[in-house]
């Protein structure tokens, strides 16, 4: 248990085990790494996609391409956020045409972020398919979206928040559930 109202769901070792399992599941479903590209959803999916990429290299000896997609301009609430929206960068230095795109994000909640990410990917080309890998699925879907690869299902109340933390100095992960957090609608 962390601070008051905070519960650690996964520690660093737990996150490592989950990401290793997810990597194996991705490789098994796709019968190896050929035609796979990884795209992390900015910001939470980016470091996770890097870990999965390294795991694939360690297992298969192949370096799969990895990119980043910014969903800011594809959000369905962009008018509500207005001038506060902060653009990140979409960096996909490869073609997604005829590729198996594994979209990687940290937390799956309402499905709206993933819908926006898929719209952004489709604007870049025509993938063979788009698969979704998430570290945490917390439920409360508003759109008919489900992950192909789930690290951990964590039933939550809508008032709770799930945060995936990476301490960049120590490269230590943890997943935290906080009580009474505002609903972000992601």
């Amino acid at each position: 248990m962390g601070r008051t109202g905070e519960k650690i769901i996964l520690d660093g070792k737990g996150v490592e085990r989950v990401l290793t399992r997810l990597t194996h599941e991705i490789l098994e479903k796709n019968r190896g790494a050929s035609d796979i590209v990884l795209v992390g959803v900015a910001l939470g999916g980016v470091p996770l996609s890097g870990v999965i990429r390294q795991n694939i290299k360690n297992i298969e000896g192949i370096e799969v391409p990895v990119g980043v997609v910014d969903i800011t301009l594809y959000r369905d609430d962009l008018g509500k956020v207005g001038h506060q929206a902060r653009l990140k960068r979409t960096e996909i230095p490869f073609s997604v045409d005829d590729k198996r795109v594994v979209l990687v994000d940290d937390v799956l909640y309402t499905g709206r972020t993933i819908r926006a990410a898929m719209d952004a990917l489709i604007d870049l080309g025509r993938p063979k398919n788009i698969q979704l890998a998430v570290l945490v699925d917390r439920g409360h879907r508003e759109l008919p979206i489900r992950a192909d690869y789930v690290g951990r299902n964590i039933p939550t109340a809508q008032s709770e928040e799930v945060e995936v933390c990476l301490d960049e100095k120590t490269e230590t992960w943890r997943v935290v559930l906080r009580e009474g957090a505002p609903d972000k609608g992601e």
Side-chain angles (χ1 to χ4, degrees):
M1 196 71 149
R3 291 180 280 175
T4 304
E6 181 180 278
K7 180 180 178 187
I8 296 175
I9 302 297
L10 287 170
D11 62 8
K13 288 290 185 192
V15 172
E16 287 177 28
R17 283 190 297 274
V18 164
L19 291 174
T20 299
R21 178 177 50 79
L22 288 178
T23 303
H24 282 284
E25 289 176 7
I26 290 166
L27 292 170
E28 183 177 340
K29 181 176 181 176
N30 291 287
R31 295 186 177 119
S34 68
D35 292 333
I36 289 179
V37 297
L38 299 170
V39 177
V41 178
L43 294 168
V46 176
L48 296 170
S49 63
V51 172
I52 293 171
R53 178 188 196 192
Q54 185 60 49
N55 288 347
I56 290 173
K57 183 178 179 184
N58 294 344
I59 296 165
E60 295 283 314
I62 297 171
E63 273 199 52
V64 298
V66 67
V68 177
V69 65
D70 174 19
I71 58 109
T72 304
L73 296 177
Y74 292 87
R75 292 175 60 113
D76 59 6
D77 64 350
L78 189 58
K80 293 179 185 175
V81 238
H83 68 279
Q84 296 173 349
R86 301 181 91 189
L87 290 176
K88 299 143 199 100
R89 275 197 328 235
T90 291
E91 293 181 33
I92 301 181
F94 48 83
S95 172
V96 297
D97 291 334
D98 295 317
K99 299 293 184 190
R100 293 182 172 110
V101 176
V102 179
L103 192 59
V104 181
D105 204 5
D106 55 355
V107 179
L108 177 57
Y109 183 27
T110 64
R112 293 180 180 279
T113 295
I114 300 308
R115 187 231 19 107
M118 289 190 300
D119 286 349
L121 284 172
I122 297 300
D123 278 354
L124 296 173
R126 186 173 171 86
K128 185 179 292 184
N129 63 39
I130 299 174
Q131 301 167 33
L132 177 59
V134 296
L135 185 61
V136 175
D137 183 343
R138 62 170 291 192
H140 304 287
R141 219 70 79 240
E142 294 175 4
L143 298 174
I145 291 175
R146 69 168 181 76
D148 299 280
Y149 315 101
V150 177
R152 180 72 64 95
N153 284 295
I154 301 174
T156 63
Q158 287 185 324
S159 63
E160 294 175 314
E161 178 184 22
V162 175
E163 184 180 2
V164 177
C165 310
L166 171 61
D167 182 330
E168 294 184 19
K169 290 179 183 174
T170 62
E171 295 185 8
T172 304
W173 293 90
R174 66 187 175 108
V175 177
V176 177
L177 178 66
R178 289 196 180 92
E179 297 175 15
D183 180 4
K184 292 183 181 178
E186 294 179 352

